Amino acid sequence: MRRGPDDLRLLVEGYLAELAFAPELAGLEEALRYALEGGGKRVRPVIALAVAEANGGIAEHCLPAAAAVELVHTFSLVHDDLPAMDDDDERRGRPSAHVAFGEATALLAGDALLAEAFRLALSYPTPMVGRELAQATLGMIGGQYRDVTGETGDLAAVHRLKTGALFSASVGVALWVAEVTEGGQPAWRAFGEELGLLFQAIDDVLDGDGYVAAHGVEEARRHADEAAARAHKRLDAIPADTSVLAEIVASLAARTA
């Protein structure tokens, strides 16, 4: 049975709501739940589940890997909001974790989310899920470093790391879970590379920074449209039912918040 993005998102929400953290983190659980339940759209884990199903896999079997990607994403948001980084007091209309719980607790909560992500990724027989996530996390951190130090001359390179790495990992972890051989992965990975560029370009249009600050709204919008077109073209070249993923790409390109 074909499941659309909304159905897959419900799977993710249910899994995250019941996720048991390591007992050593009992004192941090409130902060961890607060960060995870911040109202995100779960785009990355939904993409992972859709890729798994398109490759004949079972979405439920991919949930730990998909959740691992979301935990890494959430860890990055908790740390990005800290005074030493972006110094944002609000996240999605409510106090950031460091405002709600204090800087030290927020820092530790981010660390814990990252460690829990790898505990989930390493629950599979293959180590490749964990390796995929590790490489993406390193890329994300490298991109964030370029951003905070002002090394943004090549915006595409920064966004490919800072945002694109985790989107690529959303595709990559699902391929390993679905046991897609390396020979069958290039077309999927080419698709995954477009997702981060699309997401970031739209973010810049909505926030008025990044591509918009450097090149203007029209150029940023054109960049987003081209990334969406390339993503659809990549999907068209894959011999599988990619209609759910095409729906996700269309929604990313059209989002207004």
Side-chain angles (χ1 to χ4, degrees):
M1 177 182 176
R2 175 186 178 277
R3 286 184 282 193
D6 290 341
D7 296 324
L8 296 176
R9 180 180 176 181
L10 287 175
L11 276 181
V12 173
E13 294 289 3
Y15 184 84
L16 291 175
E18 297 178 3
L19 183 62
F21 297 113
E24 294 86 350
L25 301 177
L28 276 172
E29 181 154 357
E30 184 182 359
L32 295 174
R33 298 285 179 199
Y34 183 88
L36 272 177
E37 295 168 2
K41 295 184 174 69
R42 314 300 191 195
V43 176
R44 296 159 189 80
V46 166
I47 289 170
L49 299 188
V51 170
E53 287 203 331
N55 281 283
I58 299 171
E60 286 78 1
H61 184 48
C62 191
L63 275 170
V69 175
E70 185 69 2
L71 262 62
V72 170
H73 172 57
T74 306
F75 133 74
S76 74
L77 298 181
V78 171
H79 280 193
D80 284 356
D81 288 340
L82 288 167
M85 298 285 283
D86 293 344
D87 194 16
D88 286 328
D89 289 342
E90 285 193 4
R91 167 70 58 179
R92 296 167 181 155
R94 62 178 193 160
S96 300
H98 73 273
V99 174
F101 297 94
E103 290 181 39
T105 296
L107 183 65
L108 291 172
D111 293 343
L113 288 166
L114 181 60
E116 285 284 6
F118 281 96
R119 190 161 68 91
L120 291 173
L122 294 171
S123 66
Y124 293 93
T126 174
M128 296 308 295
V129 177
R131 290 180 184 177
E132 184 85 33
L133 191 62
Q135 189 60 50
T137 303
L138 293 171
M140 181 190 69
I141 293 170
Q144 181 68 12
Y145 175 77
R146 292 192 188 190
D147 193 17
V148 300
T149 57
E151 297 179 26
T152 55
D154 186 347
L155 274 177
V158 173
H159 290 161
R160 192 172 288 110
L161 291 170
K162 183 181 174 182
T163 304
L166 271 190
F167 274 96
S168 294
S170 298
V171 174
V173 297
L175 296 176
W176 295 120
V177 173
E179 299 183 355
V180 178
T181 64
E182 288 191 50
Q185 293 187 12
W188 282 105
R189 291 189 177 277
F191 162 67
E193 289 175 2
E194 303 296 346
L195 294 174
L197 295 177
L198 167 59
F199 187 90
Q200 188 61 57
I202 294 296
D203 247 17
D204 290 349
V205 170
L206 296 175
D207 297 339
D209 55 15
Y211 284 116
V212 171
H215 306 292
V217 174
E218 289 187 10
E219 181 67 15
R221 183 70 250 185
R222 184 185 66 79
H223 187 84
D225 290 343
E226 289 178 353
R230 290 193 304 268
H232 282 297
K233 186 176 181 179
R234 299 294 192 187
L235 288 176
D236 289 342
I238 295 173
D241 181 357
T242 60
S243 56
V244 174
L245 288 156
E247 187 177 340
I248 292 171
V249 171
S251 68
L252 288 178
R255 71 190 178 96
T256 57

